[in-house]
Amino acid sequence: MFCPTPWHTLKTVPNLSVELLPGHKRGLSFSNPVMTASGTFGNGLDYAKIFDIQRLGAIVSKAITLRPRQGNAQPRIIETAAGMLNSIGLQNIGVDAILRDIAPVWATWRVPVIANIAGESIAHYAELARRLDGAPGVSGIEINVSCPNVENGLEFGTDPRSASDLTYAVRRETDLPLLVKLGPNVTDIVGIAAAAADAGADGLTLINTFPAMRIDIQARRPTLGWGSGGLSGPALKPIALRMVYQVARSLDIPIVGCGGIVSAEDAIEFMMAGATAVQVGTATFRNPQAPLDIIDGLEEFMQREQILAVREIIGAALPAQRESQTNNAGGVAAGHGPQSDGAITGRALRPG
Amino acid sequence: MKLERAVVLSQEELYENTYLMWLSSPRVAKSASPGRFLMIHCGDADEPLLPRPMSFHRFRDSQSERQFAILYDVRGRGTAWLSTRKPGDGLTNFGPLGRGYATNPDAQNLLLVGGGLGMAALIALADQAIVAGKSITLLQGARTAVKLYPTDLLPPEVEALSATDDGSAGHHGYVTDLIPQHLSWADQIFACGPTPMFAAMANVIREARSRKPAQALLEERMGCGTGICYGCAVFTRKGVRLVCKDGPRFELRQVFS
């Protein structure tokens, strides 16, 4: 029987789906913009027993290295005001075990899994990308650039040239959607973001943890076994948010926002600052269900505000016109090695 | 796994700086067992950020529901906040988590070894084992007499012996000194305490050339309790493991050899 409903009582189901990488030939479509951040969700297998992980927008794996790593000595974590420090030391089972035991499970899931990779040299990263390329269950790659390069001791993500070299080397090995996850401990995030974009990144994850420390005043030494660690949690959020805003206002590249997101309101802030999707990390330590609660909260917000599609809010807080970066990032990214191979697309720089 | 709302039933300072809190959180209590744990949010708003892991200390059936207690020392801002909770207050929590003690069905004589707050988890095991008709000898060690768990709160069938670092009660020395005289009697050993106690225990058992199975309930700084933060790693003979997910119960000789 047909029962007509007055139009004003119609409850619309908000559309939460996002296409993260419209510029990529296969794209990367999510049922919603909420992802789990690398290193805060294992490889997803444990939580598959705890809740319906298929409801997530996407899962990012724990950082994968070429060889298995035991990780750092204790203590590995310590709480701080509105946050925590960690120095896990990239404990993971290595790419062989991932491909043999884990990726086949990912392949059976509806939720896309993005493999986060970490290495000690550009050759390591390239090798990881080569191994993961085409593996069933791997929907994309996220490069963790916040690792020291054993060749010069500097982090890959701390200057445009090394970020560019690294991104380019990985890009050459794979057609998979490629995200570059940048660290916040830099003077000019836009310059580094532009370098990664020009070297072939399809999207950027902003941001990784901030290098930080606590001192054990009884022992009179740094609290963490490794000495320093990465700050995560709500304390990081305003810093991350500004970096997303800065990059989104300058560059035309999809951004995944990450840093201290614990609520739907936090996620919305990141999307309004220009992020197409968000990653939830430390919040899951406090509430195992946090990513799902944030999805529900997003949906409620959209219903309340009568927003039909979540993509409508992406960049809503940005100025109407994008800033020109030709004097800033463009100068850094141009004239670099990959140019001769035709890898520089220039699409990262959008005229103001 | 959803966040649960526990109701505080009672709270008391049982002995110096050590608090006993009874809680009602039926869904968590349902599959809780000795040696497993839950995570408790210890603040009114979002601070402190990380939940605190707490062992199940005791269980009871009351008004057709299973209730449990936690036993904790006030050590920092989280436990200080917890100690100010009153009956009727709510506590956000989730669990139960981890792998608890596993009693061998053939083991009749159980030797329990607790150091300091390690008693928190052992009492739940003692209660359960007494009901199951096992014989229990409980060795507990503390810094000083006032930090010993009151033996009058134990089931009367439990034979309890104490050791204090300063000699103010029981044996003057470490609790591990008491182990050798009970080794031949014990079918299975269960321990909970600080890392140096486990190391000493492993030594004592090895020196006695005993192969008695011993389970240690490890403690390590935890972030998540669910195996995703990798904070509570422990380096074992079989490789690196997580206390929250692979433990907290481990075979003693797998970790301390």
Side-chain angles (χ1 to χ4, degrees), chain A residues 18-351:
Chain A
V18 290
E19 170 52 60
L20 179 61
L21 305 177
H24 187 269
K25 64 181 177 188
R26 282 195 301 276
L28 196 52
S29 299
F30 300 158
S31 62
N32 66 72
V34 179
M35 313 164 66
T36 58
S38 181
T40 65
F41 204 66
N43 290 315
L45 274 67
D46 290 313
Y47 267 49
K49 301 170 205 152
I50 291 182
F51 66 63
D52 182 11
I53 57 164
Q54 308 299 339
R55 283 189 59 206
L56 295 165
I59 291 169
V60 184
S61 78
K62 186 150 174 49
I64 302 165
T65 55
L66 273 184
R67 316 254 170 275
R69 285 176 59 101
Q70 294 247 311
N72 290 338
Q74 290 289 352
R76 289 177 167 196
I77 57 170
I78 181 76
E79 203 169 50
T80 56
M84 62 176 283
L85 309 182
N86 86 80
S87 62
I88 306 303
L90 300 177
Q91 181 188 333
N92 82 104
I93 57 178
V95 70
D96 290 337
I98 288 286
L99 290 171
R100 188 185 62 233
D101 303 330
I102 310 295
V105 181
W106 293 341
T108 66
W109 293 351
R110 193 169 65 244
V111 55
V113 179
I114 292 160
N116 180 288
I117 58 172
E120 296 171 357
S121 66
I122 287 180
H124 277 193
Y125 283 96
E127 169 76 11
L128 283 161
R130 185 157 58 241
R131 301 285 306 279
L132 291 163
D133 183 62
V138 178
S139 296
I141 289 178
E142 182 181 75
I143 307 178
N144 174 3
V145 301
S146 306
C147 296
N149 180 347
V150 290
E151 283 152 21
N152 62 13
L154 300 172
E155 280 187 19
F156 291 100
T158 49
D159 74 280
R161 174 165 288 261
S162 55
S164 172
D165 286 347
L166 177 56
T167 307
Y168 181 70
V170 171
R171 177 79 286 173
R172 288 209 331 186
E173 301 295 342
T174 181
D175 292 332
L176 283 169
L178 181 61
L179 298 172
V180 177
K181 183 176 186 178
L182 300 179
N185 191 23
V186 295
T187 311
D188 174 22
I189 190 75
V190 176
I192 292 166
D198 279 347
D202 296 308
L204 302 171
T205 303
L206 302 170
I207 56 177
N208 209 325
T209 56
F210 202 102
M213 183 180 268
R214 269 194 69 182
I215 302 289
D216 179 335
I217 60 171
Q218 298 303 322
R220 302 187 176 198
R221 60 169 182 249
T223 306
L224 293 173
W226 183 252
S228 63
L231 174 66
S232 68
L236 198 61
K237 195 192 97 181
I239 297 169
L241 199 55
R242 175 174 173 270
M243 288 188 152
V244 167
Y245 186 91
Q246 270 184 302
V247 173
R249 150 183 103 167
S250 305
L251 306 181
D252 184 16
I253 185 167
I255 295 169
V256 178
C258 180
I261 296 172
V262 303
S263 66
E265 288 73 20
D266 293 338
I268 292 162
E269 280 193 72
F270 273 88
M271 294 189 75
M272 289 185 172
T276 304
V278 295
Q279 293 180 355
V280 179
T282 302
T284 314
F285 302 164
R286 180 173 170 79
N287 171 10
Q289 187 107 330
L292 300 188
D293 289 352
I294 290 171
I295 297 169
D296 292 341
L298 261 180
E299 195 167 332
E300 282 162 29
F301 173 80
M302 290 169 67
Q303 271 165 351
R304 204 162 57 236
E305 300 286 317
Q306 302 189 329
I307 298 163
L308 292 176
V310 77
R311 0 175 232 285
E312 291 171 31
I313 66 169
I314 299 170
L318 288 170
Q321 215 172 28
R322 219 170 228 117
E323 278 194 358
S324 171
Q325 283 293 320
T326 43
N327 295 327
N328 181 0
V332 169
H336 180 53
Q339 203 170 24
S340 54
D341 298 285
I344 292 190
T345 61
R347 83 182 149 71
L349 301 179
R350 182 158 144 175

Side-chain angles (χ1 to χ4, degrees), chain B residues 223-242:
Chain B
C224 66
T226 57
I228 54 169
C229 82
Y230 285 64
C232 62
V234 55
F235 297 89
T236 77
R237 280 180 159 193
K238 292 178 179 171
V240 58
R241 295 285 186 271
L242 299 178

Side-chain angles (χ1 to χ4, degrees), chain B residues 14-36:
Chain B
L14 198 61
Y15 49 98
E16 191 187 272
N17 197 41
T18 299
Y19 290 76
L20 173 73
M21 181 188 266
W22 278 95
L23 293 165
S24 166
S25 196
R27 273 191 294 272
V28 172
K30 202 175 158 198
S31 43
S33 65
R36 300 192 77 192

Side-chain angles (χ1 to χ4, degrees), chain B residues 61-83:
Chain B
D61 289 303
S62 174
Q63 292 149 10
S64 73
E65 81 165 48
R66 191 174 191 224
Q67 300 169 343
F68 61 84
I70 58 170
L71 187 75
Y72 63 94
D73 280 354
V74 172
R75 284 181 185 167
R77 54 182 179 153
T79 42
W81 178 89
L82 201 59
S83 70

